[in-house]
Amino acid sequence: MRLEFGLTEKQLGDVLDRLFGDRALRPQDPEQGFLAAVFTATGATRRTLLLGQIVEPKAGDVYWSRNDGLVMTHHYYSRALSVVQSMPEAGLLNVHSHPRPRTGVSPPRPSEQDLGTDARELCFVSRALPDGRATAAAIVTPGGGISLREYKFRRPCSKQEALSREFGPAGAKIAFAQRVRVVGPGLRILWGDPSTESPRATFNAAMMDSSILLWGAAGQKILSELTIGIAGLGGVGGIVAEHLARLGVGALVLVDYDRLEDGNFNRSQGATRTDAARRLPKIEIYKRVASEAATAPEFQIFAHRESVAESAGLNALLDCDIVVSAADDAFARQVLDHTAYAHLIPVIDGGTTLVPDSSSMLLVAGKSQVVAAGPGHGCLECQGVYTQEEATVARESASWGDYINAGAGHGRKTKRELRAPSVICNNGLVASLIGLRILAIALRATPATLCGTQRYYVEDGTLAWGAIKECKRGCLKSSWSGLGDAHCVPVGTDLRWKKLQEREPDEVKPLTKRGRLS
Amino acid sequence: MSDLESALPPPVAEALAHLRSLRDGEVRTDAIQDNFVYVWVGSLTKNQSSEEPGGWIRLPLAFPHANPHGLVTREALKSAGEGNIADGYNAGHDICVPVRPLGGGHYYSWTWENAPQLRSPQDIVGVVQWYERRIRKG
């Protein structure tokens, strides 16, 4: 499982200020440092250590010694240990500064002295913490270069083992975080492993020249290194998958459980009539569409026939740098809203509501909207994308019809009224706005479009920004920022997916040798 | 702790522990079905003194991030005035199935709309009080 390090932009600003700015405790010393809680966020193939609360050093806790280098006292370690022991699943991170290089973000290399001191101190820490908690050390340079290494020690079960070399600091297994993700409101991904070179850019310059004219080779390299998840491959998600593949994104993770049917064929861009007749799972169709559209030479695509509201589907998305929420379901949206903060993965949600008057062919009202959530953004709930009651109802039954039959919400709408209108043109608009928001977040091409709710009002054709750009007072989501696995993301059983699995055997209608339906 | 309770997400387990310490030490988990846990609150008060107290509150496994939905009782609830409570009443509904062996047979599909926003596991005490107010309202 590959290792990464994650922190918010706000935290990085605070760290730089403590190590190199006004908040340095002993600015005359060549190096500064502090201890902090660290949380683990686990996906299917990626583990990320996330920076938690910094344990404030007091005068004398951290100092520079000519012989020993940077010293963090035992008293400071004891205090930090008691802080992290009180936090569920928290480990301990030792952070210190290197004064050079003054500029650039190349990952700093630990000295022999760093490696020896950190192993000794963290071995002692790991024995004091419950099993499974992370112990790590990070180095930061003035330009914002960061390297982090995790230390794993064997836990002794006897006095003899405790005294033996392989259970002590010398037996430490050290792994560098490959990448560092700085999240919110934008996203910066830095190479984190000083023991290896940053991978070379992999993009086809001839194929991408029109985009490179806009954001340069550096921008294209950023896109080629992104992994983006798409939850829901309906009218919006399917188009987003193709757009992102053409933009040169390096990897896509698709999560959807539905099949293509005649009823949604008219807005499934890239799907064929044969796909609809065969009732293929949408993930298969969009895996094909995106693979054929991909411009990144080493493009990878992972498709999971799962619900994002369940732990298996969510787990696949926890490997992503950005997630697109296109599931059109309050349960899934709530799960992704929590994930955006706890796991530091920006989520971009998009959807359309149309209110027709079928007798006059007029659209009475309607809006398409795109919203970003995660650190540095307001959450989806505060921006009005879903309510807690809607998320509860979505957990309650396999469909709105079942919900009504269960005696709740009676008299609101008939089953026919519950069929929402949907048009590919609106879906395409939302997909394009999602793509542009991803470019804003990843490339910072248009900083003014990073945050908030962007709405297209159908009745008068205007595009406008909503007033809410941050969470409402009393919202707790930002307090879950960076808690990783320690925050209980409210996944559950997606009853629609469960019903679908029960109702029909998981098989695709076969084709004849001539490629026709049998 | 029962096998059922050991499977509960930490915030729900914390809520039940809080409810036991502050309100009713006999609170128990009787069933888990499709994202909801059936929590027996034996001290749940009703309108008439002739009615035996108690009922199953359907608490979401995602509590406090999702709202409680519905109450299951052994007997039909009497209103404060005359007759039984009719609002949201479903006799013998499928929702009762998980606690039917324990006598559950009357389902009130009361949703959490227009109720206080839930934020922490400690809000569980307010949930029980809300159901008691809902019973009084009829």
Side-chain angles (χ1 to χ4, degrees), chain A residues 259-501:
Chain A
R259 289 175 183 276
L260 184 67
E261 296 177 350
D262 285 347
N264 44 35
F265 176 67
N266 68 349
R267 53 194 187 280
S268 298
Q269 186 172 302
T272 66
R273 287 169 68 163
T274 309
D275 293 334
R278 294 181 73 198
R279 301 188 67 245
L280 278 180
K282 291 176 180 176
I283 51 157
E284 286 187 28
I285 297 165
Y286 286 103
K287 188 176 178 182
R288 181 193 72 216
V289 169
S291 299
E292 287 174 359
T295 55
E298 293 174 24
F299 178 72
Q300 288 183 293
I301 188 157
F302 307 93
H304 301 268
R305 190 153 188 238
E306 299 285 355
S307 164
V308 67
E310 299 191 352
S311 54
L314 177 65
N315 206 34
L317 293 176
L318 296 181
D319 290 344
C320 298
D321 303 316
I322 296 173
V323 168
V324 174
S325 159
D328 196 19
D329 173 272
F331 187 0
R333 282 175 160 142
Q334 188 189 40
V335 164
L336 293 176
D337 205 12
H338 280 242
T339 303
Y341 295 88
H343 288 258
L344 302 191
I345 300 174
V347 168
I348 302 169
D349 182 274
T352 296
T353 312
L354 299 172
V355 184
D357 176 356
S358 53
S359 60
S360 66
M361 283 199 297
L362 279 176
L363 274 169
V364 178
K367 62 174 190 265
S368 299
Q369 71 172 25
V370 170
V371 181
H377 301 269
C379 71
L380 296 181
E381 188 178 2
C382 289
Q383 292 186 81
V385 174
Y386 71 94
T387 66
Q388 183 154 314
E389 184 59 18
E390 286 166 352
T392 305
V393 169
R395 281 177 170 79
E396 178 65 64
S397 54
S399 69
W400 265 91
D402 289 355
Y403 176 64
I404 288 165
N405 292 335
H410 39 278
R412 279 186 193 152
K413 287 178 181 175
T414 66
K415 202 166 182 177
R416 180 171 161 68
E417 284 169 335
L418 294 168
R419 173 99 170 127
S422 183
V423 180
I424 190 170
C425 311
N426 296 88
N427 296 337
L429 173 69
V430 172
S432 297
L433 292 176
I434 288 174
L436 290 170
R437 188 71 74 102
I438 289 171
L439 293 176
I441 286 175
L443 304 180
R444 300 256 183 173
T446 49
T449 67
L450 274 173
C451 298
T453 310
Q454 197 172 19
R455 290 198 183 111
Y456 172 76
Y457 292 94
V458 173
E459 56 271 35
D460 59 8
T462 53
L463 196 55
W465 287 90
I468 300 168
K469 298 211 171 189
E470 51 195 35
C471 281
K472 293 173 184 169
R473 246 178 101 181
C475 178
L476 296 174
K477 294 205 183 59
S478 60
S479 67
W480 308 329
S481 181
L483 291 181
D485 303 337
H487 176 70
C488 202
V489 174
V491 289
T493 305
D494 187 331
L495 298 184
R496 278 182 270 191
W497 174 215
K498 186 179 167 186
K499 192 173 177 181
L500 194 64
Q501 286 171 297

